[in-house]
Amino acid sequence: MEDSSFDLDLELSSLPKEKWLGDDYLFQLGGFWHLPQAIQGVNRVINQFQPLPSDIILASFPKTGTTWLKALLYSIVNRSSKHRLTTENPHSLIPVLEYKTYGTTHASSTANPPCHINDSRRILSTHIPYQLLAKTLGSSECRVVYVTRNPKDTLVSTWHFVNKWKKAKEEGWPFEVAVEKFCHGLIPCGPYYDHVMGYRKLCLDRPKYAHFLTYEGLKNDPKTHVKKLAEFLGCPFQGEDAEAQVQDLVNGCSFEVLSNHEVNMAGGFPSRIAFIPSNSFFRKGVVGDYKEHMSAEVVQKIDALTKEKFHSFGFIYGV
Ligand code: PAP
């Protein structure tokens, strides 16, 4: 495993870099590629973040179900205030550590920031790979929830998302280019396969503290997964109406319901990466959308890579 201790105030010029979107670069830290706007925050999280035993950390590769899981985790933990999802975007309720909490120089002065949102228990999220957070999460008693999604849909979702950025609109990001970059791991937080395998290992090694789930599994049987998540987090559903509570929560976090709240249809986030419209987190929300975009040849290429990176290590997923 790579050494995850890095100096604070990284000099970007000291890091390997590669072009990925037009003439925009990604920078490599600890074997993973990061956006220049994110890298100082990533570095601060690695060096400064100390989770509390009561913390819940949602970890994910971008576009694999983060928004959905934020809604679900918030509702599971804060059952009596889950109605806040009707007026607040899930990303406003649960901050991304490297963008929000540690995203500014100001934030770096506090080693263990309070979360202004959750009264009882902090829920935080990150896209930082486990390989870079092993020292932070590997022995902590906090609970880590990792969600993943099959590589082809992840790639398609990423492509649509990036195409909403000004840079992509100006210069274009053809799908074939996105496929090449994805297969070489050259997208933000990539390589995707290493990201997934890092957290998978954590979840296999420390099942009491780390829980692994897939977008497809959640789609297929959301109630069962929500019950498992609640048990994992130590707040199971109880009482005669437990089933109804779960159903109600699942409904409130469904794509159809969330994407139709006004707060998720208009406005957006003036983030450090780009202005991100709220509705760009809710595009289609289905399994298998890759079939609309990929030729048989591209499917074959990605499936071969998935077999090499996942199946040959005993993780039969994603093809
Ligand atoms: P992020 O990493 O930028 O936060 P993330 O939420 O992980 O993005 O992924 C967005 C995807 O989840 C979108 O997929 P699509 O492009 O294939 O449509 C989005 O539509 C989907 N999504 C968002 N909310 C839900 C939901 N409640 N149920 C199912 N899918 C959802």
Side-chain angles (χ1 to χ4, degrees):
M1 190 155 288
E2 306 251 358
D3 180 3
S4 62
S5 303
F6 301 100
D7 293 334
L8 284 179
D9 298 323
L10 278 175
E11 278 293 337
L12 280 191
S13 59
S14 67
L15 301 175
K17 62 179 186 177
E18 288 280 350
K19 281 187 184 166
W20 77 290
L21 174 62
D23 53 10
D24 277 4
Y25 285 94
L26 292 176
F27 290 81
Q28 196 183 45
L29 183 64
F32 288 84
W33 294 102
H34 307 270
L35 289 161
Q37 303 92 324
I39 203 149
Q40 300 295 356
V42 168
N43 193 44
R44 285 186 205 115
V45 175
I46 291 167
N47 284 286
Q48 299 183 333
F49 176 52
Q50 297 163 16
L52 303 172
S54 56
D55 283 349
I56 297 166
I57 315 289
L58 168 63
S60 59
F61 190 83
K63 316 320 293 177
T64 57
T66 321
T67 313
W68 192 9
L69 259 296
K70 283 189 179 185
L72 288 170
L73 290 176
Y74 185 83
S75 306
I76 291 170
V77 174
N78 303 291
R79 249 161 253 184
S80 58
S81 49
K82 64 179 169 32
H83 57 85
R84 288 183 67 183
L85 283 164
T86 60
T87 53
E88 290 173 71
N89 181 286
H91 292 282
S92 305
L93 290 172
I94 300 181
V96 183
L97 280 168
E98 59 272 28
Y99 294 145
K100 264 238 169 102
T101 326
Y102 288 87
T104 60
T105 331
H106 171 69
S108 72
S109 59
T110 156
N112 211 5
C115 180
H116 56 284
I117 294 149
N118 305 295
D119 298 335
S120 53
R121 216 169 156 182
R122 300 192 305 185
I123 312 177
L124 303 157
S125 85
T126 186
H127 289 317
I128 302 176
Y130 178 68
Q131 286 86 335
L132 303 192
L133 286 179
K135 282 188 189 154
T136 310
L137 299 179
S139 54
S140 168
E141 291 187 0
C142 71
R143 298 299 191 270
V144 177
V145 173
Y146 186 74
V147 62
T148 193
R149 187 178 193 183
N150 77 75
K152 289 172 289 196
D153 285 343
T154 301
L155 165 56
V156 165
S157 186
T158 303
W159 180 69
H160 279 288
F161 189 70
V162 170
N163 271 308
K164 295 211 167 73
W165 301 0
K166 192 165 162 270
K167 181 82 179 174
K169 279 187 184 149
E170 283 167 5
E171 299 192 15
W173 200 46
F175 189 64
E176 309 76 62
V177 174
V179 170
E180 277 310 304
K181 298 290 179 196
F182 182 88
C183 290
H184 285 99
L186 252 172
I187 56 169
C189 307
Y192 156 90
Y193 292 100
D194 296 357
H195 200 288
V196 177
M197 290 306 267
Y199 278 102
R200 181 169 182 267
K201 181 166 172 7
L202 170 70
C203 296
L204 289 173
D205 289 349
R206 304 187 80 222
K208 184 174 168 198
Y209 299 106
H211 184 80
F212 190 94
L213 74 165
T214 68
Y215 185 97
E216 298 77 23
L218 201 52
K219 268 273 171 193
N220 187 41
D221 187 358
K223 280 177 69 183
T224 298
H225 285 286
V226 163
K227 283 187 234 171
K228 278 189 191 162
L229 271 174
E231 277 160 26
F232 169 71
L233 297 173
C235 48
F237 291 89
Q238 285 164 337
E240 277 180 15
D241 66 341
E243 282 297 314
Q245 287 179 48
V246 175
Q247 186 64 62
D248 183 46
L249 193 154
V250 166
N251 292 347
C253 297
S254 69
F255 180 88
E256 292 67 26
V257 168
L258 280 185
S259 61
N260 280 302
H261 293 317
E262 205 178 319
V263 66
N264 297 326
M265 291 196 279
F269 297 85
S271 86
R272 292 163 67 81
I273 298 171
F275 178 81
I276 303 183
S278 304
N279 64 9
S280 65
F281 293 106
F282 303 93
R283 188 184 63 89
K284 209 163 172 186
V286 298
V287 174
D289 192 38
Y290 72 87
K291 291 173 194 153
E292 305 289 327
H293 295 80
M294 290 182 186
S295 63
E297 200 184 329
V298 170
V299 168
Q300 214 173 20
K301 179 184 164 101
I302 298 179
D303 283 351
L305 189 61
T306 304
K307 286 179 188 159
E308 178 195 328
K309 301 285 186 183
F310 283 169
H311 295 206
S312 60
F313 291 95
F315 182 36
I316 311 303
Y317 174 72
V319 169

